[in-house]
């Protein structure tokens, strides 16, 4: 398996030794380069996910989806981006302009910040702290503030109601998300993202295999809670068209709306990426203990494994969205507080017992 830290070490040596730059300029150039790469990856994945959503939706509804702009409709998303960029951004009368402007920025900051923790390849984890899991949950929570400020700052009663729905839904389902992550931490013994992936390398070491029953339960609960956290169907009640128009971003135009649209799709990938990291081995290949097979799997680059697993989970969540009808707000909260939350707590106790008695594989 290729270790990307070889490349980063070479580049750091190039700046410090070959070019003779000091610590400040070396770190500055590296940070700028990494930031640009994050934003490029973010934008590229957004374009892919929007196109993928439209095609998956079309297939489930027995139609074609985008077909006219470019071959097979491939340029439709780029046309939409251009249209959004040239649209006027206007302010609503009597709106709180400061909150109105800050809200979409907070949402995109939370999305990009969480996105930066994903482990793309061995040695290619951008933010890799020893409390990584804690920071992931902390940074992602900023999005709740952005959504609530969007509704409040818009001075629109429908947006306020939608923002309250979105905030209470996201805060509620974060509880189950965190408990599922703690379940994995209990088994791996680390909160560092790279450490969690390293613990899943080797034959049948993916978390859903190694942690068996409690890990599988945590994986299923994580996907349900993550879908709700990303405000996607059947949990997209914050954007119920029949009663709240577009929801908390009703009064946003141009790229103000574009930030919310972008964050929604990337949050889908972030949830899938985190699920891949903590339950499906991240960039780790599937190994079964047979030398020949394992050697072939190890030749496949880690980023291919990570993206393949992540997009598999994305497709699964899209399948759920276009299959089940939208839930009512009382049903959404009942599902969390009456079923998922108690199940997550019991599952954490079960995983603790498994770890304490060495019952894992």
């Amino acid at each position: 398996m290729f270790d990307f830290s070889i490349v980063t070490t070479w580049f750091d040596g190039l700046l410090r030794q070959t070019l003779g730059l000091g610590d400040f300029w070396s770190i500055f150039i590296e940070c700028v380069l990494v930031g640009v790469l994050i934003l490029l990856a973010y934008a590229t994945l957004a374009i892919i996910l929007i196109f993928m959503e439209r095609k998956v939706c079309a297939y489930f509804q027995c139609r074609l989806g985008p077909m006219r702009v470019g071959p097979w409709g491939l340029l439709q998303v780029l046309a939409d981006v251009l249209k959004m960029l040239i649209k006027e951004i206007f302010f609503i009368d009597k709106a709180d302009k400061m909150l109105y402007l800050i809200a979409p920025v907070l949402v995109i900051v939370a999305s990009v910040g969480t996105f930066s923790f994903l482990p793309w390849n061995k040695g290619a984890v951008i933010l890799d702290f020893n409390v990584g899991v804690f920071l992931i949950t902390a940074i992602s929570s900023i999005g709740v503030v952005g959504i609530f400020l969007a509704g409040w700052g818009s001075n629109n009663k429908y947006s306020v109601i939608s923002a309250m729905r979105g905030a209470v839904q996201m805060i509620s389902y974060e509880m189950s998300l965190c408990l599922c992550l703690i379940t994995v931490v209990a088994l791996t013994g680390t909160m560092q993202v790279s450490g969690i992936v390293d613990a899943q390398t080797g034959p049948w070491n993916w978390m859903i295999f190694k942690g068996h029953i409690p890990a599988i339960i945590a994986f299923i609960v994580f996907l349900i809670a993550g879908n709700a956290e990303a405000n996607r169907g059947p949990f997209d009640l914050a954007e119920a068209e029949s009663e709240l128009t577009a929801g908390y971003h009703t009064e946003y135009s141009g790229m103000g709306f574009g930030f919310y649209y972008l964050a929604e799709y990337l949050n889908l990938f972030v949830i899938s990426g985190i699920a891949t990291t903590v339950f499906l081995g991240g960039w780790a290949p599937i190994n079964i203990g047979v030398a020949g097979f394992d050697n072939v799997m190890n030749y496949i680059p880690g980023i291919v494994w990570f993206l393949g697993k992540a997009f598999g989970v994305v497709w699964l969540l899209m399948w759920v969205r276009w299959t089940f009808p939208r839930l009512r707000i009382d049903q959404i909260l009942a599902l969390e507080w009456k079923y998922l939350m108690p199940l997550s707590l019991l599952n954490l106790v079960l995983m603790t017992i498994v770890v304490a008695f060495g019952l894992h594989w």
Side-chain angles (χ1 to χ4, degrees):
M1 180 64 66
F2 176 72
D3 190 346
F4 195 78
S5 61
I6 298 173
V7 176
T8 57
T9 303
W10 169 83
F11 186 74
D12 185 70
L14 175 68
L15 294 177
R16 296 175 185 272
Q17 299 172 12
T18 306
L19 300 180
L21 299 179
D23 289 343
F24 173 80
W25 286 110
S26 297
I27 295 173
F28 178 77
I29 293 173
E30 290 168 0
C31 289
V32 170
L33 183 60
V34 168
V36 170
L37 290 176
I38 290 174
L39 294 178
L40 284 176
Y42 192 88
T44 304
L45 284 171
I47 291 172
I48 294 172
L49 289 167
I50 293 171
F51 182 77
M52 180 180 175
E53 176 92 276
R54 289 172 171 174
K55 285 297 184 180
V56 170
C57 166
Y59 286 140
F60 273 102
Q61 297 177 352
C62 297
R63 55 189 180 87
L64 297 177
M67 291 294 291
R68 295 184 178 276
V69 185
W72 208 51
L74 288 171
L75 300 180
Q76 181 65 57
V77 180
L78 296 178
D80 292 340
V81 171
L82 179 62
K83 175 185 175 182
M84 199 170 292
L85 287 172
I86 62 177
K87 274 188 171 293
E88 179 185 2
I89 299 176
F90 57 85
F91 293 96
I92 308 302
D93 291 340
K94 299 181 181 179
D96 189 319
K97 290 184 173 56
M98 185 178 73
L99 299 183
Y100 184 85
L101 288 172
I102 291 175
V105 175
L106 290 178
V107 169
I108 206 74
V109 164
S111 182
V112 174
T114 314
F115 180 77
S116 302
F117 279 90
L118 297 180
W120 300 94
N121 195 84
K122 184 177 182 181
V125 186
I126 298 167
L127 297 179
D128 191 26
F129 300 100
N130 59 349
V131 288
V133 171
F134 173 77
L135 287 175
I136 288 174
T137 57
I139 294 175
S140 65
S141 300
I142 299 174
V144 180
V145 181
I147 286 176
F148 190 78
L149 291 184
W152 185 263
S154 295
N155 192 31
N156 180 317
K157 62 183 179 182
Y158 298 109
S159 297
V160 172
I161 294 172
S162 172
M164 293 176 66
R165 282 184 178 181
V168 71
Q169 175 179 316
M170 293 175 72
I171 292 171
S172 299
Y173 279 88
E174 276 180 0
M175 304 296 290
S176 292
L177 275 177
C178 293
L179 286 172
C180 292
L181 293 177
I182 293 171
T183 302
V184 174
V185 170
L187 181 57
T188 59
T190 179
M191 286 197 292
Q192 192 166 1
V193 174
S194 61
I196 292 174
V197 178
D198 288 338
Q200 298 179 78
T201 57
W204 303 109
N205 260 3
W206 291 5
M207 199 57 58
I208 55 172
F209 302 137
K210 188 175 182 179
H212 48 83
I213 294 175
I216 293 172
I217 294 173
F219 178 58
I220 295 172
V221 173
F222 186 90
L223 291 184
I224 297 172
N227 218 15
E229 180 77 6
N231 277 323
R232 291 182 55 81
F235 303 98
D236 57 339
L237 200 60
E239 303 173 22
E241 301 91 348
S242 59
E243 49 191 292
L244 299 176
T245 61
Y248 51 84
H249 51 64
T250 297
E251 304 294 355
Y252 283 87
S253 63
M255 283 309 297
F257 166 76
F259 279 174
Y260 288 105
Y261 192 61
L262 194 64
E264 178 182 334
Y265 280 98
L266 262 295
N267 286 342
L268 169 65
F269 184 83
V270 167
I271 290 296
S272 302
I274 295 174
T276 297
T277 300
V278 299
F279 295 105
L280 303 179
W283 47 260
I286 184 168
N287 294 145
I288 61 174
V290 178
F293 178 85
D294 292 350
N295 288 334
V296 172
M297 295 297 102
N298 291 338
Y299 276 116
I300 301 175
I303 191 171
V304 175
W305 280 106
F306 179 78
L307 289 176
K309 297 173 191 175
F311 273 103
V313 178
V314 166
W315 185 84
L316 178 62
L317 295 180
M318 287 183 178
W319 182 3
V320 170
R321 175 176 184 177
W322 298 108
T323 301
F324 295 98
R326 178 181 286 144
L327 300 175
R328 299 193 312 264
I329 186 64
D330 61 307
Q331 293 173 327
I332 289 175
L333 296 180
L335 175 63
E336 164 62 12
W337 292 105
K338 290 184 179 180
Y339 301 101
L340 294 186
M341 180 75 168
L343 178 60
S344 299
L345 288 169
L346 290 174
N347 193 50
L348 178 57
V349 174
L350 179 59
M351 179 61 85
T352 305
I353 295 172
V354 167
V355 173
F357 291 94
L359 301 177
H360 54 82
W361 290 358

